[in-house]
């Protein structure tokens, strides 16, 4: 294992420290328990939004804390759910009386711990709503999941629900917006290499020198199949096929196309993936009117990528375009 | 070699196609010869800025084309200088009568080809200036270099000179600004793994399982030494020592700290690097008043990072903070 780290047990704390220091204009970090919160939280009158989960997917989630997106993020240990305690603390820190939305990727530990934290927050008089993200079409159930996994589509939910909260929508409206995005986004990924969890020190799974895994999870959970390496275009076809079949997107529809890097794949490759994915959509008569290419939901240093397609309506477009000021996404203000 | 590519010979063209499609609001691409140019070029009355070099360092340079930074970028084949022809075409495309600045990383091929293109442009009546970037303190001469190499500090030159051009400074002023940034920035990098050039298909150099290379170049050129893997903090100390000695930065000075990922290193590690680098500077009494963490000058999928320190003055700060709208850097507008 070769990583730019100190003691494996300090990875999350030291990375969060560095993150909060580098982005002190946007966030601050708390460490007992650990969470990252907007520097101006709680924002008077605004619904708060908290997300979180195991670390190792940076910039998800802390990189999306800031104006127009999340109010707080709760980073657990690498690939391990945070406990209810920091989730509750983050929920309290962002509550301004308008209620708090939890955006939770669909993994058993995350769902359970966010539920417990929500119950405790409610007992403290904080109104909460929870939206569980399950955009990954690769597999129905998985190692850590009942039902589909939540992956890179989460970022689109966080951006659009975040803009909904920022413009002053109610908790019910923001939660409904998040659910609508989740219902309209589908994702599938591919791994070229495994990744190494620092405290494990070993690759999370094995791939031969000429082998890739189609439908990989963001923790290295098994996908659909291991196959021999193919051309980027053919791999993109394999990822888009189930996405488009499941999403039932049609000629004349508008889409947001997200090409997400898994952490170890360089931009030069992600744009080759984007190029063909955009062509496939155009060939189907779908207009790619919004797009994003970059590392937004990673799996440590894994080489690979995922493709997400969000069926757009005019409200999604307006909220996607709305100003955002976070470490990971920044525009329009 | 496992990469998300099609035919190795199409990597640059297909990546540029995808890039231009994904960022059509900011840039357009030309393919005969190949360059990427601001969608609104030439910008009336403004000094044009052109940079370029071998591909494989994305987002450098095309990712920095746009308002407030570069007017055009010329991507050569992977790790290979572009010929004078596309550099000349890009120079003509951005010339609005106020002259054109070439920002050139110090590699023999780049320097030569930009010089030839500048001579041809001058013959066509376009006034040009050229600034050669040599911020890498690791080695004096290198595989492809007489003198120091140009590495991640180039991005700081492009941002600050870009803002100088955008506010209407003359060609002499913009060139002087670029030279002043280059004179005040130092960089050094480390590699944990080599990278594979697509058309070569083999790693560019070898590193054992527990070995790293201190002072690596962005094409895998040899650095200062191969050593056994150490803690992130110790590695940061090794990189900062020669940077700070050479820069002669002192107690009370202001600095911009850039932690750059080489392409395959995840953000969670880059923030651990940032954390300690910021501490070392603070301990020396240097105020890190501006900072950036991310992949800005990569070496394909190489794992590793570089640290750059720019000694700031108030003009640098003003120009760094000025609005920029590119694929790779975006703020303030």
């Amino acid at each position: 294992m070769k990583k730019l780290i100190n003691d494996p047990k300090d990875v999350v704390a030291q990375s969060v420290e560095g993150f909060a220091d580098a982005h002190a204009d946007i966030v601050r970090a708390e460490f007992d328990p650990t969470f990252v919160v907007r520097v101006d939280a709680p924002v008077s009158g605004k619904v708060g939004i908290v997300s979180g989960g195991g670390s190792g997917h940076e910039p998800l989630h802390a990189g999306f804390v800031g104006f127009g997106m999340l109010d707080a993020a709760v980073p657990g240990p690498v690939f391990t759910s945070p406990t209810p305690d920091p989730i509750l603390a983050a929920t309290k820190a962002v509550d301004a009386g308008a209620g708090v939305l939890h955006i939770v990727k669909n993994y058993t530990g995350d769902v359970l711990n966010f539920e417990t934290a929500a119950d405790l927050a409610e007992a403290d008089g904080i109104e909460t709503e929870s939206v569980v993200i399950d955009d990954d079409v690769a597999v129905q159930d998985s190692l850590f999941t009942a039902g589909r996994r939540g992956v890179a589509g989460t970022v689109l939910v966080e951006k659009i629900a975040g803009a909904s909260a920022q413009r002053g929508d109610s908790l019910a409206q923001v939660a409904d917006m998040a659910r609508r995005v989740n219902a309209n986004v589908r994702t599938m990924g591919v791994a070229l290499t495994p990744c190494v969890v620092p405290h494990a020190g070993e690759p999370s799974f094995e791939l031969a020198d000429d082998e890739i895994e189609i439908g990989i999870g963001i923790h290295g959970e098994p996908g659909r199949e291991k196959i021999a390496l193919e051309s980027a275009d053919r791999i993109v076809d394999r990822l888009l096929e189930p996405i488009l079949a499941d999403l039932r997107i049609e000629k004349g529809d508008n889409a947001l196309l997200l090409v997400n890097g898994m952490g170890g794949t360089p931009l030069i490759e992600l744009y080759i993936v984007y190029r063909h994915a955009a062509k496939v959509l155009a060939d189907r008569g779908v207009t790619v009117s919004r797009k994003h290419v970059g590392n937004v939901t990673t799996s440590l240093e894994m080489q690979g990528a995922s493709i997400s397609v969000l069926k757009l309506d005019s409200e999604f477009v307006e909220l996607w375009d709305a100003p955002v000021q976070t470490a990971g996404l920044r525009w329009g203000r």
Side-chain angles (χ1 to χ4, degrees), chain A residues 20-322:
Chain A
D21 183 14
H23 303 288
D25 52 328
I26 299 176
V27 300
R28 62 186 167 81
E30 296 281 343
F31 288 98
D32 189 22
T34 300
F35 62 94
V36 172
V37 59
R38 258 177 83 155
V39 76
D40 56 348
V43 181
S44 176
K46 195 183 88 67
V47 168
I49 306 185
V50 176
S51 192
S55 291
H57 308 300
E58 292 68 26
L60 195 74
H61 296 274
F64 302 123
V65 173
F67 181 92
M69 216 162 163
L70 301 179
D71 292 85
V74 188
V78 172
F79 291 1
T80 303
S81 177
T83 58
D85 191 33
I87 303 172
L88 176 63
T91 303
K92 288 179 174 176
V94 308
D95 176 49
V100 177
L101 174 68
H102 288 171
I103 297 178
V104 186
K105 300 195 299 303
N106 188 32
Y107 300 96
T108 308
D110 288 341
V111 171
L112 196 69
N113 290 334
F114 269 92
E115 258 175 27
T116 304
D119 288 347
L120 295 168
E122 293 270 350
D124 272 356
I126 300 173
E127 195 186 355
T128 68
E129 283 259 16
S130 184
V131 175
V132 175
I133 310 304
D134 57 355
D135 55 313
D136 187 345
V137 298
V139 292
Q140 187 49 39
D141 297 306
S142 180
L143 265 188
F144 314 116
T145 322
R148 287 177 170 179
R149 301 173 296 213
V151 289
T154 308
V155 177
L156 310 183
V157 176
E158 293 179 354
K159 172 65 183 81
I160 291 172
S164 162
Q166 192 66 55
R167 75 178 176 189
D169 288 356
S170 70
L171 179 58
Q173 289 170 319
V174 176
D176 179 61
M177 191 67 69
R179 286 186 192 106
R180 280 216 298 124
V181 176
N182 185 55
N184 284 284
V185 63
R186 300 290 187 282
T187 300
M188 194 152 137
V190 60
L192 276 62
T193 63
C195 59
V196 176
V197 175
H199 59 261
E202 298 287 329
S204 51
F205 61 105
E206 298 289 337
L207 279 175
D209 278 353
D210 65 341
E211 205 178 38
I212 63 175
E213 177 139 2
I214 299 286
I216 193 75
I218 58 173
H219 311 91
E221 315 95 292
R224 290 190 170 191
E225 50 179 341
K226 292 182 183 184
I227 61 170
L229 178 65
E230 298 180 322
S231 72
D233 288 359
R234 181 70 193 106
I235 293 169
V236 167
D237 290 339
R238 283 185 188 271
L239 300 182
L240 270 177
E241 218 173 272
I243 288 172
L244 298 179
D246 200 80
L247 187 56
R248 276 178 270 184
I249 196 162
E250 283 166 20
K251 193 173 165 155
D253 282 338
N254 269 301
L256 185 156
L257 172 59
L258 165 63
V259 173
N260 168 56
M262 290 293 194
T265 285
L267 268 179
I268 196 171
E269 296 179 31
L270 295 184
Y271 282 114
I272 292 175
V273 169
Y274 174 84
R275 170 186 169 274
H276 187 63
K279 274 192 184 165
V280 171
L281 285 163
D283 288 348
R284 295 224 185 181
V286 174
T287 304
V288 178
S289 63
R290 295 296 182 276
K291 59 272 297 220
H292 191 77
V293 180
N295 295 343
V296 293
T297 302
T298 62
S299 187
L300 296 167
E301 74 283 6
M302 182 187 283
Q303 287 183 27
S306 66
I307 298 176
S308 301
V309 179
L310 169 65
K311 198 193 290 191
L312 287 172
D313 61 29
S314 61
E315 194 163 28
F316 288 170
V317 170
E318 183 190 327
L319 294 170
W320 175 259
D321 288 348

